[in-house]
């Protein structure tokens, strides 16, 4: 599997560290409830199909990114920098 | 039909014409007292113990493919009770005791072989941790022996003791650990459940769960609607999809785990050996193939086949531990979809929907758990109360802070 890094281009999967679902970026506000935390940290849609998850270009540029990919076919559809996402 | 040695001989004499199918192939009825979704090890054992321990026989197991087509028939078959944490320790201890009586109980040869499992230590710290774990196992009433380097050398002379990168310091031997024939476990429970009147319905995929005012009413399937007051979800890697039919999100992410088998060889490895550096475990099947596996592929996947970096990693671990394995040819590799929970421990619990129960999060250790999981899930579904040895496997334990992270690797689904 190859992953497109927005900064480095298409790179071998082994250069990346997988963190988990994009839900990790949905941090509750300081008014947030336990439910919000539960949803951010633990509960998952876990789709069989297109998913968005957070990867870290550990052995590359060190950028965090959200990768859109298919969990059934392993097709990788795109990526964007976490730093460019609002509120993340 | 009761199976016995005498039966094998008499059937052999008369052309083996007397063997019948091991279970019926019924069409689904319109209603049951309870429905089990998933015909894997856990679903079948739950059905069996519902019938056997609780007298509930008007039940159906609904399986989307054929019985045993999931992980129950894809695993590396290691059976052990060497857990450390309260909650896990008593549960796996109970499971191993059920394994020890399983063949007599089911009148079925599951080829359970207590050939021992040896976990290796490669540093002082690791040896200390194994001593601590061994003590916990002994306190639980199970067996553990802390072995010196010489004992390990005697027992497994083919390990690479000369290398300096990951020197072997000793190990923890769990003599009651071992392996079993995975398919036979599914078949044995299936036959046992069928003989007690349970309907095993194959090629029947659950596509919806009917809920009215917070109470479960039954399920929709590819073979029509079926009503039931109690529904259990035991679908391993597919847990999130089935729970979503009830509007639930589970603390689970699905990951692929690979396994490998070599060509058949003469007996060389007569126990289960677990490498302490890097996740790698190996045993030899009765056919002679070396069966081994390693870590997850580490990213969420439903592909049921793996990626090459993990193949390479597993082969490297194998070569580091026992260089002789480089002479063997790998015949096959495959993958299964694992229901990884946030802390690596399972869930056996009610849901917020009345009559709907969940048994999931088995990660890659659910084969050895199949007997006790069925035992405890049946108890929960029949009585409404968690079984004593499964009382910590709560669905909401992450939210309430009662996590059970056996390996202390952190609360991320792929880290266990
Ligand atoms: C490569 C590999 C190695 C492993 N090694 C070990 C080991 O050494 N020791 C150990 O203890 N464990 C091991 N495991 C883990 C163990 O195999 C699993 O945890 C366990 O089998 C899961 O429970 P099960 O048997 O009920 O799952 P499964 O057999 O997967 O059963 C679930 C069933 O649900 C069915 N299903 C799914 N969705 C639906 C639906 N909508 N409607 C109807 N049916 C549905 C599926 O078809 C499937 O048959 C390993 C797993 C793998 C993949
Ligand atoms: Zn990069």
């Amino acid at each position: 599997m190859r992953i497109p890094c927005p900064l480095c281009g298409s790179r071998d999967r082994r250069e990346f560290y997988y963190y988990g679902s994009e839900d990790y970026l949905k941090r509750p506000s300081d008014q947030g409830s336990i439910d919000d935390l539960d949803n951010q940290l633990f509960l998952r849609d876990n789709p069989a199909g297109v998913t968005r998850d957070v990867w870290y270009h550990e052995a590359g540029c060190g950028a965090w990114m959200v990768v859109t990919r298919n969990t059934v076919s392993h097709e990788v559809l795109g990526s964007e920098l976490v730093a460019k996402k609002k509120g993340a | 039909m009761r199976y016995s040695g005498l039966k094998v001989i008499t059937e052999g004499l008369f052309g083996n014409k007397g063997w019948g199918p091991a279970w019926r192939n019924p069409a689904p009825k319109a209603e049951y007292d309870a429905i089990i979704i998933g015909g894997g090890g856990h679903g079948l054992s739950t059905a069996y113990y519902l019938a056997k321990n609780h007298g509930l026989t008007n039940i159906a197991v609904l399986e989307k493919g054929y019985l045993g087509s999931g992980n129950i028939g894809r695993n590396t078959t290691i059976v052990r009770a060497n857990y450390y944490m309260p909650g896990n320790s008593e549960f796996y201890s109970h499971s191993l005791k059920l394994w020890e009586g399983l063949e007599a109980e089911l009148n079925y040869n599951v080829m359970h072989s207590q050939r021992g499992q040896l976990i290796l230590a490669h540093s002082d710290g690791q040896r200390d941790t194994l001593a601590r774990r061994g003590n916990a196992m002994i306190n639980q009433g199970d067996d553990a022996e802390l072995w010196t380097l010489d004992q390990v050398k005697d027992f497994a002379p083919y390990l690479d003791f000369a290398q300096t990168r990951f020197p072997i310091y000793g190990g923890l031997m769990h003599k009651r650990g071992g392996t079993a024939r995975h398919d036979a476990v599914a078949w044995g429970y299936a036959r046992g459940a069928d003989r007690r009147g349970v309907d095993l319905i194959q090629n029947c995929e659950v596509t919806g769960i009917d809920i009215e005012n917070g109470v479960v009413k039954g399920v929709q399937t590819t073979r029509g609607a079926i009503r039931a007051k109690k529904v259990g979800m035991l679908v391993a890697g597919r847990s999130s999809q089935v729970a979503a039919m009830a509007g639930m999100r589970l603390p689970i992410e699905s990951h692929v785990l690979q396994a490998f088998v070599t060509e058949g060889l003469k007996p060389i490895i007569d126990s289960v050996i677990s490498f302490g550096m890097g996740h790698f475990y190996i045993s030899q099947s009765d056919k002679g193939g070396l069966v081994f596996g390693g870590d997850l592929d580490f990213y969420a996947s439903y592909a049921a086949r793996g990626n090459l970096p993990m193949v390479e990693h597993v082969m490297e671990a194998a070569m580091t531990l026992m260089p002789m394995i480089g002479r063997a040819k790998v015949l096959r590799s495959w993958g299964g979809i694992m229901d990884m929970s946030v802390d690596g421990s399972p869930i056996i619990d009610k849901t917020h929907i009345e009559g709907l129960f969940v048994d999931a999060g088995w990660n890659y250790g659910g084969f050895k758990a199949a007997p006790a999981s069925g035992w405890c899930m049946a108890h929960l579904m029949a009585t409404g109360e968690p079984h004593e040895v499964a009382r910590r496997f709560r669905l909401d334990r992450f939210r309430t802070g009662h996590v059970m992270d056996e390996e202390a690797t952190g609360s991320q689904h792929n880290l266990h």
Side-chain angles (χ1 to χ4, degrees), chain B residues 195-241:
Chain B
R195 295 207 315 172
R196 288 183 156 75
V198 174
D199 280 359
L200 307 174
I201 299 165
Q202 308 184 59
N203 298 313
C204 180
E205 178 170 355
V206 171
T207 52
I209 298 181
D210 297 333
I211 299 160
E212 280 169 31
N213 304 319
V215 181
V216 77
K217 297 290 176 192
V219 297
Q220 298 293 324
T221 78
T222 47
R223 296 178 69 177
I226 308 175
R227 289 191 304 280
K229 292 196 180 63
K230 290 181 182 179
V231 175
M233 304 183 281
L234 300 96
V235 290
R238 294 280 165 182
S239 293
S240 297
Q241 270 93 56

Side-chain angles (χ1 to χ4, degrees), chain A residues 4-9 11 15-16 57-63 65 81:
Chain A
C5 171
L7 301 180
C8 314
R11 308 293 302 175
E15 293 181 6
F16 296 82
H57 200 180
E58 191 177 29
C61 63
M65 64 203 71
L81 291 178

Side-chain angles (χ1 to χ4, degrees), chain B residues 38 40-42 63-64 71-72 75-76 78 206 236 364-368:
Chain B
H42 294 241
E63 165 55 48
K64 76 170 175 188
N71 293 328
I72 189 70
N75 60 73
T76 43
I78 301 168
V206 171
Y364 40 85
F367 177 61
K368 64 182 160 296

Side-chain angles (χ1 to χ4, degrees), chain B residues 3 20 27 65 67 89 108 111 124 130-131 137 141 143 147 165 200 215 218 245 291 319 321 326 328 359 378 383 401:
Chain B
Y3 295 153
L67 297 179
S89 182
Y108 205 88
M111 296 165 75
D124 281 329
L130 288 185
M137 290 157 68
D143 69 289
W147 276 12
R165 180 66 183 88
L200 307 174
V215 181
M245 296 171 194
V291 180
M319 288 299 288
L321 183 65
D359 175 304
T383 68

Side-chain angles (χ1 to χ4, degrees), chain A residues 53-69:
Chain A
D53 34 35
V54 180
W55 296 69
Y56 172 55
H57 200 180
E58 191 177 29
C61 63
W64 286 90
M65 64 203 71
V66 175
V67 175
T68 307
R69 61 186 185 93

